[in-house]
Amino acid sequence: MGWLRRLFFREKLEADLDKELRFHFEYQVADKVRSGIPESEARRLTRIEFGGIEQIKEDCRERRGTMWLESLLQDVRYALRQLRKAPAFTLTAVLTLTLGIGATTAIFTLVQQVMLQSLPVSKPDQLWRIGDQHRCCDWFGYSQDGDGEPSDWSLFPWEAYKLFHANTAGFQDLAALEAGNTALAVRRTGSSGPPDTANGQYVSGNFFQTLGVSAWRGRLLIDADDQEGAPPVAVMSFHAWQEKYGSDPSVVGSTYQINGRAFTIIGVAPAGFIGAKIVSWGMPDIWIPLTAEPLMFGTTARIKNTRVDWLDLIGRARPGTNPKILQAELQSELHGWLAGHLADMNPQEKAGWQKQTLRVSPGAGGFSGLRRDYSEGLRLLMITACCVLLVACTNIANLLLARGLRNRHKTAVRVALGASRGRLVRNALLESVTLSLIGGAASVAVAWAGARLMLYLAFDMGKNTWIPVQTSPSTPVLLFALGVSVLTGTIFGIAPAWMSSHAQPVEALRGAHREVGGGRHWAQKALVIAQAAVSLVLLSAAAMLGGSLRNLEHQDFGFDPGGRYLVYINSPLLSNHKQEQLVPLFREIQDRLSVIPGVRGLSCATYAPMSGDQWGHDIRIQGKPEPGPKDDVSADWTRITPGFFDTIGARMLAGRAINEDDNGNTRHVAVINEAFARKLLGNQNPIGQHFGPGPMKNAGSYEIIGVVQNIHYVSWGFRDPARAMYYIPEAQTVHFDQPDIQSYELWSQNLYNIVIWAPGHPANLLMQVKKTLAGVDPNLVIYDVQPYSRVIQGKFDQQNMIASLTWLFGAVGLVLAAVGLYGVTAYGVELRTSEIGVRMALGADRGSVTALVLRGAFWQVGIGLAIGIPAAIGAGYLMSSQLFGVTPWNPLLLAGATLLLGLAALVAAVIPAQRAASTNPMQALRSE
């Protein structure tokens, strides 16, 4: 580390060197004086023998090995002095770079968190998932086919997990976790207050051990906790413990009523641990052993139901395990397990069970729903941000070119005095890199603010929702900002550095402003053309995405959200209600809420349109043959109370709606939608037909009494055809022999959503709803109450984020392009001052001079448009998956983007054009 000492203690070393050289010099002078030589002559002779003192010092500095670094530091100090002398230029450049690098770094912050982040666990690279698809939350049957074709298994029943855990030698440990989450009502034992809402997740007892994490307080789950008959225990997340319970140490060891059952909180998970599943709609607050599920759900529990696939599996592979061999071993075990359930399979499952496949995939990132849902949008935003950075780089390159050409007289003098071209290039590059590093440092704040803005735009942050994404700059983000800064500084500095280094000494003898026509600033014009093209692409992309968002939000969903509200509640079963109490309970809820002033309609449903849920069955039609293995006979379904279709504003097309007469003493009925009738009944009259969930023995379960218009129920697939769907009454229950179907038949009587129609937005409606529900049952947990318009808007938060940021990036690009055009046009006018003076002296009027300047500016913009329009159409095709009801070649959108760019160019060019038209011919010629 001696070179560091030589570098940072340079002044002391220089003083020591000077002292030593002077000592030797004076010693030789004294020696000569002692020999009889006069002192003046002795000094002259010694100086001749020594040579130049400064040359000796230079030689010593070279021998130190730090000369190159000292020279570099000198150049950096010189660059800083030059930037200090031009504050306007420096401020403009730094602000431009701050926007460009900040936008790119903000997007990378989310990319790193969502797409590149590993789980905060021990040795995440050793983790492997069983399955390569992200699915939620339950899958039914002994196949996981997609579009009629065999697909890879990604969800598993508890029995299959136990088989894999006991027999797969390639895994050191294998854990299971619930693919979805469970809504919890949590209240400390002895507390009289209302319960807190929380997200729960069932996990195997070895879950924490497999991931290699330790408790923050207390202990974590172990295998002994995950046994039938074990005392009910749970582990709380550090986030919930800190945010909801104020880091109260007494939480550990205390008993809490969780959905009416007593559980002991045995520990708190470590800080930063978020589990193995990363989603935007319910990160776990509490982890519960898998075998505790029957305690919570009773007869509707999934743990012993082999037809319900509800678990994600993740394991830690043994060192040296070959993933292909591990996959083959697991697939063999899967087929062996399926073979043991042939008697339970329906004909379609029997025909295809041997074709079922299974894959293992890297598990370092866990089961990331965020990665699946946001990867495409983040890639698009990253490309858009890079375009903004490109425009910013061209703008800075233009500024540096103009500055370099304006200072070419000084550069020519330096060349004439012996400065090497390499030193000139290095000086120019150091100046550009210094600028970019200052801009990069400032961009960290922009990136932090931008990332927070994106989280706000992209996610509906309810009171019971948090997103495991950190916006504070991490080490990878800071390194990215540093790398981008150096890279951009090098890229936009190369051309100006090369051009400024080629100044000829003869130019020092010329005037500083001699230039006729375009001359040497062709590079600046090329950069303006590139800026115009890229800006047009950004503007057209913003227009297409904005139009797509508008089409998504204003499409026909099949119901009227105006004046309607959606209430989310917990399952009454989880509040200690019995199954037979559910129908009277929801009757009371409906009666009490209906008398609130301003309420014109009210109905309850297992899940309402766009609420985020989806239940489905394969359907059998009475009188029709068994469908083939590849026939799509699926349909979604929900349970509703009377008045549902009037409440949500959906039209009946045939027959009648479900009413009060459809109760437990009458025939079992259903209302279907148009898509159901077309898909499963063809041209037959649907009224009076019978159907049911497969197998065929259930085909007579429901009689069709009406057809309702298609309602877009799910919160995805807006480009897909309407899904087949049927509605059954809350007051009727069918008994099925199949455990999985019977389980969901009973569970569906838990109505999680209440739809309220209250036009005019009555005052204090939300408060009255909460007060009324508390009066019905204080243990009912109200998760949220939202206007239906906000519910729909929330489904497009990601599209809103992409469209908003693209508009923002487009506006920044437009401003930068206008600034670049202004700079080039103004510099061109400055160079052509004498030419303009001659033209005006020869009779040119102000209008012709203005037209001359504008013509030059719009010639550049025109070429940029010629390049940008095809590029914008191509970009539209590339992002077609993000568009809805918008074509990439939409002439109106392209014309609007072109007009906007043209207006910005006009504003940018008019100012220097007017300045040129105001030129005094005599002053222009005199300055020459």
Side-chain angles (χ1 to χ4, degrees):
M1 302 297 287
W3 66 275
L4 283 175
R5 185 178 64 83
R6 292 193 294 271
L7 179 63
F8 291 105
F9 296 94
R10 181 173 177 272
E11 292 183 1
K12 184 177 183 304
L13 289 174
E14 286 293 319
D16 291 344
L17 175 61
D18 184 71
K19 183 178 179 180
E20 184 176 358
L21 287 175
R22 292 194 178 279
F23 168 78
H24 287 292
F25 183 84
E26 294 297 335
Y27 180 82
Q28 290 194 27
V29 169
D31 188 56
K32 287 181 172 54
V33 169
R34 282 195 297 270
S35 65
I37 300 174
E39 183 177 350
S40 59
E41 182 65 14
R43 289 188 178 278
R44 186 182 70 82
L45 291 174
T46 303
R47 197 173 292 115
I48 293 173
E49 292 174 3
F50 251 72
I53 296 291
E54 292 303 320
Q55 286 89 340
I56 296 175
K57 289 183 179 180
E58 286 293 325
D59 185 57
C60 291
R61 293 183 189 118
E62 290 286 349
R63 292 177 183 274
R64 288 181 197 161
T66 58
M67 190 64 184
W68 64 274
L69 195 53
E70 293 175 14
S71 176
L72 182 64
L73 289 176
Q74 288 175 0
D75 289 344
V76 170
R77 286 193 290 268
Y78 175 77
L80 290 173
R81 285 198 305 271
Q82 294 298 104
L83 295 177
R84 221 171 20 244
K85 290 178 181 178
F89 162 80
T90 303
L91 182 61
T92 302
V94 167
L95 287 177
T96 302
L97 288 168
T98 298
L99 289 175
I101 299 175
T104 310
T105 306
I107 302 298
F108 178 78
T109 300
L110 292 193
V111 169
Q112 189 265 337
Q113 289 280 310
V114 173
M115 300 174 63
L116 305 178
Q117 186 90 315
S118 295
L119 293 176
V121 300
S122 173
K123 299 178 181 178
D125 56 301
Q126 295 181 353
L127 298 175
W128 289 86
R129 290 173 45 194
I130 303 181
D132 58 356
Q133 304 291 322
H134 179 89
R135 289 178 176 153
C136 179
C137 298
D138 297 339
W139 198 280
F140 300 98
Y142 295 102
S143 67
Q144 291 189 11
D145 298 345
D147 299 325
E149 297 295 332
S151 182
D152 297 328
W153 278 60
S154 291
L155 296 180
F156 301 88
W158 183 70
E159 184 181 274
Y161 158 65
K162 299 298 285 184
L163 176 71
F164 294 160
H165 180 264
N167 296 284
T168 309
F171 279 125
Q172 181 177 318
D173 218 336
L174 180 65
L177 59 147
E178 184 182 11
N181 70 350
T182 297
L184 302 179
V186 182
R187 178 166 50 198
R188 196 162 188 164
T189 300
S191 171
S192 59
D196 295 320
T197 60
N199 295 313
Q201 187 178 59
Y202 293 101
V203 297
S204 58
N206 65 344
F207 175 71
F208 297 99
Q209 173 186 311
T210 301
L211 296 180
V213 296
S214 302
W216 181 268
R217 277 185 175 271
R219 69 173 180 88
L220 302 178
L221 297 177
I222 58 176
D223 286 327
D225 298 318
D226 192 22
Q227 304 293 328
E228 294 183 56
V233 296
V235 171
M236 186 174 291
S237 74
F238 183 87
H239 179 270
W241 179 64
Q242 187 177 59
E243 296 295 325
K244 296 185 177 182
Y245 298 96
S247 302
D248 182 1
S250 69
V251 167
V252 177
S254 298
T255 302
Y256 282 77
Q257 295 294 315
I258 300 179
N259 291 348
R261 280 76 177 175
F263 279 77
T264 301
I265 303 297
I266 59 172
V268 175
F273 180 74
I274 55 176
K277 198 173 189 74
I278 305 171
V279 292
S280 61
W281 42 264
M283 295 299 296
D285 298 312
I286 293 176
W287 288 280
I288 301 171
L290 288 172
T291 52
E293 198 218 9
L295 176 65
M296 305 282 271
F297 294 116
T299 58
T300 61
R302 299 162 289 182
I303 192 166
K304 295 296 181 66
N305 193 334
T306 58
R307 289 188 60 85
V308 180
D309 310 324
W310 62 292
L311 297 175
D312 284 316
L313 305 185
I314 187 168
R316 186 173 294 276
R318 298 185 186 278
T321 299
N322 187 321
K324 292 184 178 179
I325 296 176
L326 178 62
Q327 179 173 297
E329 183 181 4
L330 287 165
Q331 183 150 320
S332 175
E333 293 171 5
L334 174 66
H335 285 168
W337 178 77
L338 289 171
H341 290 278
L342 282 173
D344 303 325
M345 296 182 184
N346 60 39
Q348 289 77 19
E349 292 167 344
K350 288 180 180 178
W353 73 272
Q354 291 178 309
K355 299 178 182 178
Q356 298 296 309
T357 56
L358 174 152
R359 298 180 185 275
V360 296
S361 57
F367 304 87
S368 180
L370 285 180
R371 185 173 303 176
R372 177 200 63 182
D373 297 337
Y374 287 87
S375 58
E376 188 174 352
L378 286 175
R379 278 194 293 266
L380 175 60
L381 286 176
M382 194 69 186
I383 293 172
T384 308
C386 287
C387 288
V388 174
L389 183 59
L390 178 62
V391 174
C393 285
T394 55
N395 219 24
I396 302 303
N398 251 332
L399 288 172
L400 288 173
L401 273 172
R403 193 160 176 263
L405 292 174
R406 185 177 290 112
N407 294 334
R408 67 186 184 277
H409 178 75
K410 296 178 183 178
T411 305
V413 171
R414 293 181 65 190
V415 173
L417 293 176
S420 67
R421 297 200 186 279
R423 186 66 179 268
L424 293 174
V425 169
R426 190 173 75 179
N427 284 343
L429 276 177
L430 277 174
E431 184 174 315
S432 63
V433 171
T434 302
L435 270 177
S436 66
L437 288 175
I438 297 172
S443 73
V444 173
V446 174
W448 175 79
R452 290 181 64 85
L453 173 64
M454 284 186 280
L455 283 183
Y456 172 78
L457 292 173
F459 301 107
D460 183 14
M461 305 293 284
K463 65 178 182 180
N464 204 41
T465 302
W466 67 281
I467 308 299
V469 175
Q470 302 296 323
T471 58
S472 55
S474 61
T475 300
V477 170
L478 293 176
L479 290 175
F480 175 84
L482 176 63
V484 170
S485 300
V486 174
L487 183 63
T488 54
T490 304
I491 290 174
F492 70 66
I494 285 177
W498 181 83
M499 293 190 69
S500 64
S501 69
H502 281 69
Q504 299 299 324
V506 70
E507 292 189 21
L509 304 176
R510 294 182 181 170
H513 298 285
R514 292 195 59 157
E515 185 81 20
V516 178
R520 296 182 53 185
H521 56 289
W522 57 267
Q524 294 176 283
K525 295 180 179 179
L527 291 174
V528 168
I529 291 170
Q531 281 183 307
V534 175
S535 297
L536 182 66
V537 172
L538 288 173
L539 289 173
S540 62
M544 285 186 280
L545 291 170
S548 177
L549 176 64
R550 185 174 57 254
N551 293 340
L552 282 169
E553 292 180 335
H554 295 90
Q555 64 181 292
D556 182 10
F557 296 106
F559 68 99
D560 182 8
R564 289 162 172 88
Y565 298 82
L566 183 60
V567 183
Y568 298 84
I569 63 173
N570 72 321
S571 165
L573 280 182
L574 304 182
S575 302
N576 287 327
H577 287 81
K578 305 298 183 183
Q579 189 76 37
E580 60 273 14
Q581 295 175 319
L582 296 181
V583 172
L585 173 68
F586 284 105
R587 178 72 268 172
E588 183 181 0
I589 288 174
Q590 193 154 343
D591 290 343
R592 288 213 193 178
L593 290 177
S594 297
V595 299
I596 294 177
V599 173
R600 289 182 54 182
L602 185 140
S603 185
C604 307
T606 306
Y607 63 100
M610 311 284 283
S611 63
D613 212 339
Q614 180 234 344
W615 293 20
H617 283 310
D618 281 345
I619 299 301
R620 301 296 184 267
I621 305 296
Q622 192 174 64
K624 285 195 172 187
E626 184 76 31
K630 295 187 178 182
D631 291 340
D632 180 12
V633 291
S634 63
D636 299 338
W637 65 284
T638 190
R639 193 179 290 276
I640 60 175
T641 59
F644 179 77
F645 300 118
D646 287 337
T647 300
I648 65 172
R651 292 181 296 109
M652 292 296 299
L653 305 178
R656 67 172 178 86
I658 291 169
N659 58 34
E660 299 288 352
D661 295 330
D662 300 314
N663 54 49
N665 299 320
T666 61
R667 70 191 192 283
H668 299 132
V669 299
V671 171
I672 64 173
N673 68 350
E674 293 177 88
F676 186 107
R678 284 196 305 268
K679 177 179 179 179
L680 298 170
L681 297 172
N683 296 323
Q684 298 179 14
N685 180 8
I687 305 301
Q689 298 271 8
H690 291 78
F691 73 94
M696 186 59 77
K697 63 184 295 185
N698 299 327
S701 300
Y702 305 114
E703 178 181 330
I704 300 172
I705 58 170
V707 179
V708 70
Q709 71 178 108
N710 292 328
I711 301 171
H712 193 101
Y713 235 83
V714 296
S715 53
W716 64 88
F718 295 100
R719 299 171 181 82
D720 301 334
R723 303 167 66 94
M725 187 154 189
Y726 66 95
Y727 307 82
I728 56 178
E730 161 71 358
Q732 294 183 345
T733 305
V734 178
H735 177 76
F736 296 101
D737 295 334
Q738 298 77 24
D740 56 326
I741 300 177
Q742 182 61 23
S743 172
Y744 275 82
E745 175 71 11
L746 296 176
W747 191 253
S748 67
Q749 288 188 310
N750 291 272
L751 308 184
Y752 293 95
N753 293 147
I754 304 171
V755 181
I756 300 174
W757 180 25
H761 304 288
N764 299 320
L765 176 65
L766 305 186
M767 186 62 66
Q768 292 184 70
V769 168
K770 292 180 179 181
K771 183 177 179 181
T772 302
L773 288 176
V776 174
D777 182 357
N779 291 318
L780 275 177
V781 177
I782 304 172
Y783 291 107
D784 205 0
V785 181
Q786 287 187 333
Y788 232 117
S789 57
R790 176 60 195 132
V791 173
I792 294 175
Q793 184 184 359
K795 303 309 172 185
F796 308 115
D797 279 341
Q798 182 182 172
Q799 291 85 350
N800 179 44
M801 173 192 72
I802 295 172
S804 299
L805 291 178
T806 307
W807 270 118
L808 178 61
F809 292 159
V812 171
L814 181 66
V815 171
L816 292 177
V819 170
L821 179 62
Y822 167 79
V824 170
T825 306
Y827 179 64
V829 168
E830 181 183 347
L831 288 180
R832 301 175 68 182
T833 299
S834 59
E835 176 197 347
I836 293 171
V838 170
R839 288 175 180 268
M840 297 187 74
L842 294 176
D845 58 11
R846 293 170 59 90
S848 62
V849 172
T850 301
L852 173 70
V853 176
L854 291 178
R855 190 162 54 247
F858 276 93
W859 174 81
Q860 299 168 63
V861 175
I863 296 177
L865 290 175
I867 298 172
I869 289 175
I873 295 174
Y877 278 105
L878 291 176
M879 63 180 191
S880 57
S881 62
Q882 296 284 332
L883 302 180
F884 180 79
V886 175
T887 57
W889 62 89
N890 189 305
L892 289 179
L893 295 181
L894 285 172
T898 302
L899 179 62
L900 193 58
L901 181 60
L903 289 174
L906 178 62
V907 172
V910 159
I911 299 174
Q914 289 180 339
R915 187 180 303 154
S918 302
T919 300
N920 186 319
M922 295 304 296
Q923 288 183 354
L925 295 175
R926 189 178 300 118
S927 66
E928 187 64 16

